PDB file of all heavy atoms in Angstrom:
ATOM      1  N   VAL A 397     -37.349  30.769  -9.853  1.00 93.00           N
ATOM      2  CA  VAL A 397     -37.455  29.414  -9.301  1.00 93.00           C
ATOM      3  C   VAL A 397     -38.794  29.293  -8.583  1.00 93.00           C
ATOM      4  O   VAL A 397     -39.161  30.133  -7.770  1.00 93.00           O
ATOM      5  CB  VAL A 397     -36.320  29.109  -8.310  1.00 93.00           C
ATOM      6  CG1 VAL A 397     -36.529  27.712  -7.712  1.00 93.00           C
ATOM      7  CG2 VAL A 397     -34.979  29.194  -8.962  1.00 93.00           C
ATOM      8  N   VAL A 398     -39.516  28.223  -8.924  1.00 96.00           N
ATOM      9  CA  VAL A 398     -40.733  27.836  -8.216  1.00 96.00           C
ATOM     10  C   VAL A 398     -40.523  26.443  -7.655  1.00 96.00           C
ATOM     11  O   VAL A 398     -40.031  25.549  -8.371  1.00 96.00           O
ATOM     12  CB  VAL A 398     -41.962  27.848  -9.147  1.00 96.00           C
ATOM     13  CG1 VAL A 398     -43.216  27.424  -8.384  1.00 96.00           C
ATOM     14  CG2 VAL A 398     -42.163  29.217  -9.755  1.00 96.00           C
ATOM     15  N   SER A 399     -40.840  26.233  -6.369  1.00 94.00           N
ATOM     16  CA  SER A 399     -40.588  24.935  -5.775  1.00 94.00           C
ATOM     17  C   SER A 399     -41.732  24.506  -4.865  1.00 94.00           C
ATOM     18  O   SER A 399     -42.526  25.334  -4.395  1.00 94.00           O
ATOM     19  CB  SER A 399     -39.279  24.936  -4.977  1.00 94.00           C
ATOM     20  OG  SER A 399     -39.443  25.647  -3.758  1.00 94.00           O
ATOM     21  N   GLY A 400     -41.821  23.209  -4.635  1.00 94.00           N
ATOM     22  CA  GLY A 400     -42.828  22.675  -3.746  1.00 94.00           C
ATOM     23  C   GLY A 400     -42.338  21.415  -3.058  1.00 94.00           C
ATOM     24  O   GLY A 400     -41.410  20.752  -3.523  1.00 94.00           O
ATOM     25  N   ASN A 401     -42.973  21.083  -1.937  1.00 92.00           N
ATOM     26  CA  ASN A 401     -42.566  19.948  -1.133  1.00 92.00           C
ATOM     27  C   ASN A 401     -43.814  19.458  -0.399  1.00 92.00           C
ATOM     28  O   ASN A 401     -44.496  20.261   0.252  1.00 92.00           O
ATOM     29  CB  ASN A 401     -41.488  20.395  -0.133  1.00 92.00           C
ATOM     30  CG  ASN A 401     -40.768  19.244   0.545  1.00 92.00           C
ATOM     31  OD1 ASN A 401     -41.375  18.230   0.833  1.00 92.00           O
ATOM     32  ND2 ASN A 401     -39.498  19.423   0.803  1.00 92.00           N
ATOM     33  N   TYR A 402     -44.124  18.154  -0.485  1.00 94.00           N
ATOM     34  CA  TYR A 402     -45.377  17.667   0.124  1.00 94.00           C
ATOM     35  C   TYR A 402     -45.211  16.214   0.548  1.00 94.00           C
ATOM     36  O   TYR A 402     -44.598  15.417  -0.190  1.00 94.00           O
ATOM     37  CB  TYR A 402     -46.528  17.807  -0.873  1.00 94.00           C
ATOM     38  CG  TYR A 402     -47.863  17.396  -0.325  1.00 94.00           C
ATOM     39  CD1 TYR A 402     -48.537  18.215   0.571  1.00 94.00           C
ATOM     40  CD2 TYR A 402     -48.461  16.200  -0.716  1.00 94.00           C
ATOM     41  CE1 TYR A 402     -49.791  17.850   1.086  1.00 94.00           C
ATOM     42  CE2 TYR A 402     -49.706  15.820  -0.219  1.00 94.00           C
ATOM     43  CZ  TYR A 402     -50.359  16.652   0.682  1.00 94.00           C
ATOM     44  OH  TYR A 402     -51.571  16.291   1.183  1.00 94.00           O
ATOM     45  N   GLN A 403     -45.756  15.865   1.711  1.00 92.00           N
ATOM     46  CA  GLN A 403     -45.710  14.486   2.193  1.00 92.00           C
ATOM     47  C   GLN A 403     -47.034  13.798   1.922  1.00 92.00           C
ATOM     48  O   GLN A 403     -48.105  14.293   2.274  1.00 92.00           O
ATOM     49  CB  GLN A 403     -45.399  14.430   3.688  1.00 92.00           C
ATOM     50  CG  GLN A 403     -45.257  12.989   4.204  1.00 92.00           C
ATOM     51  CD  GLN A 403     -44.717  12.919   5.623  1.00 92.00           C
ATOM     52  OE1 GLN A 403     -44.632  13.920   6.307  1.00 92.00           O
ATOM     53  NE2 GLN A 403     -44.350  11.716   6.052  1.00 92.00           N
ATOM     54  N   TRP A 404     -46.960  12.635   1.283  1.00 88.00           N
ATOM     55  CA  TRP A 404     -48.143  11.835   0.987  1.00 88.00           C
ATOM     56  C   TRP A 404     -47.870  10.427   1.489  1.00 88.00           C
ATOM     57  O   TRP A 404     -47.083   9.692   0.919  1.00 88.00           O
ATOM     58  CB  TRP A 404     -48.406  11.857  -0.514  1.00 88.00           C
ATOM     59  CG  TRP A 404     -49.685  11.171  -0.915  1.00 88.00           C
ATOM     60  CD1 TRP A 404     -50.693  10.768  -0.101  1.00 88.00           C
ATOM     61  CD2 TRP A 404     -50.067  10.827  -2.240  1.00 88.00           C
ATOM     62  NE1 TRP A 404     -51.696  10.188  -0.848  1.00 88.00           N
ATOM     63  CE2 TRP A 404     -51.339  10.214  -2.163  1.00 88.00           C
ATOM     64  CE3 TRP A 404     -49.470  10.987  -3.495  1.00 88.00           C
ATOM     65  CZ2 TRP A 404     -52.008   9.750  -3.290  1.00 88.00           C
ATOM     66  CZ3 TRP A 404     -50.141  10.525  -4.611  1.00 88.00           C
ATOM     67  CH2 TRP A 404     -51.389   9.911  -4.506  1.00 88.00           C
ATOM     68  N   GLY A 405     -48.508  10.075   2.600  1.00 84.00           N
ATOM     69  CA  GLY A 405     -48.233   8.781   3.222  1.00 84.00           C
ATOM     70  C   GLY A 405     -46.813   8.746   3.742  1.00 84.00           C
ATOM     71  O   GLY A 405     -46.341   9.659   4.420  1.00 84.00           O
ATOM     72  N   GLY A 406     -46.076   7.698   3.409  1.00 85.00           N
ATOM     73  CA  GLY A 406     -44.689   7.567   3.844  1.00 85.00           C
ATOM     74  C   GLY A 406     -43.694   8.103   2.852  1.00 85.00           C
ATOM     75  O   GLY A 406     -42.487   7.854   2.969  1.00 85.00           O
ATOM     76  N   VAL A 407     -44.182   8.865   1.848  1.00 93.00           N
ATOM     77  CA  VAL A 407     -43.306   9.401   0.815  1.00 93.00           C
ATOM     78  C   VAL A 407     -43.355  10.923   0.834  1.00 93.00           C
ATOM     79  O   VAL A 407     -44.436  11.514   0.864  1.00 93.00           O
ATOM     80  CB  VAL A 407     -43.699   8.906  -0.597  1.00 93.00           C
ATOM     81  CG1 VAL A 407     -42.737   9.447  -1.645  1.00 93.00           C
ATOM     82  CG2 VAL A 407     -43.730   7.372  -0.635  1.00 93.00           C
ATOM     83  N   ILE A 408     -42.183  11.556   0.843  1.00 92.00           N
ATOM     84  CA  ILE A 408     -42.078  13.015   0.769  1.00 92.00           C
ATOM     85  C   ILE A 408     -41.661  13.377  -0.648  1.00 92.00           C
ATOM     86  O   ILE A 408     -40.623  12.914  -1.132  1.00 92.00           O
ATOM     87  CB  ILE A 408     -41.065  13.547   1.792  1.00 92.00           C
ATOM     88  CG1 ILE A 408     -41.385  13.040   3.192  1.00 92.00           C
ATOM     89  CG2 ILE A 408     -41.061  15.078   1.783  1.00 92.00           C
ATOM     90  CD1 ILE A 408     -40.309  13.321   4.205  1.00 92.00           C
ATOM     91  N   TRP A 409     -42.473  14.203  -1.313  1.00 94.00           N
ATOM     92  CA  TRP A 409     -42.214  14.579  -2.691  1.00 94.00           C
ATOM     93  C   TRP A 409     -41.719  16.024  -2.757  1.00 94.00           C
ATOM     94  O   TRP A 409     -42.172  16.873  -2.001  1.00 94.00           O
ATOM     95  CB  TRP A 409     -43.492  14.473  -3.539  1.00 94.00           C
ATOM     96  CG  TRP A 409     -43.993  13.067  -3.678  1.00 94.00           C
ATOM     97  CD1 TRP A 409     -44.852  12.432  -2.837  1.00 94.00           C
ATOM     98  CD2 TRP A 409     -43.648  12.133  -4.712  1.00 94.00           C
ATOM     99  NE1 TRP A 409     -45.093  11.149  -3.282  1.00 94.00           N
ATOM    100  CE2 TRP A 409     -44.361  10.941  -4.424  1.00 94.00           C
ATOM    101  CE3 TRP A 409     -42.834  12.194  -5.838  1.00 94.00           C
ATOM    102  CZ2 TRP A 409     -44.274   9.823  -5.248  1.00 94.00           C
ATOM    103  CZ3 TRP A 409     -42.736  11.070  -6.648  1.00 94.00           C
ATOM    104  CH2 TRP A 409     -43.439   9.906  -6.364  1.00 94.00           C
TER     105      TRP A 409
END
Side-chain angles (χ1 to χ4, degrees):
V397 177
V398 179
S399 74
N401 193 324
Y402 183 74
Q403 184 170 11
W404 186 12
V407 182
I408 306 170
W409 295 89

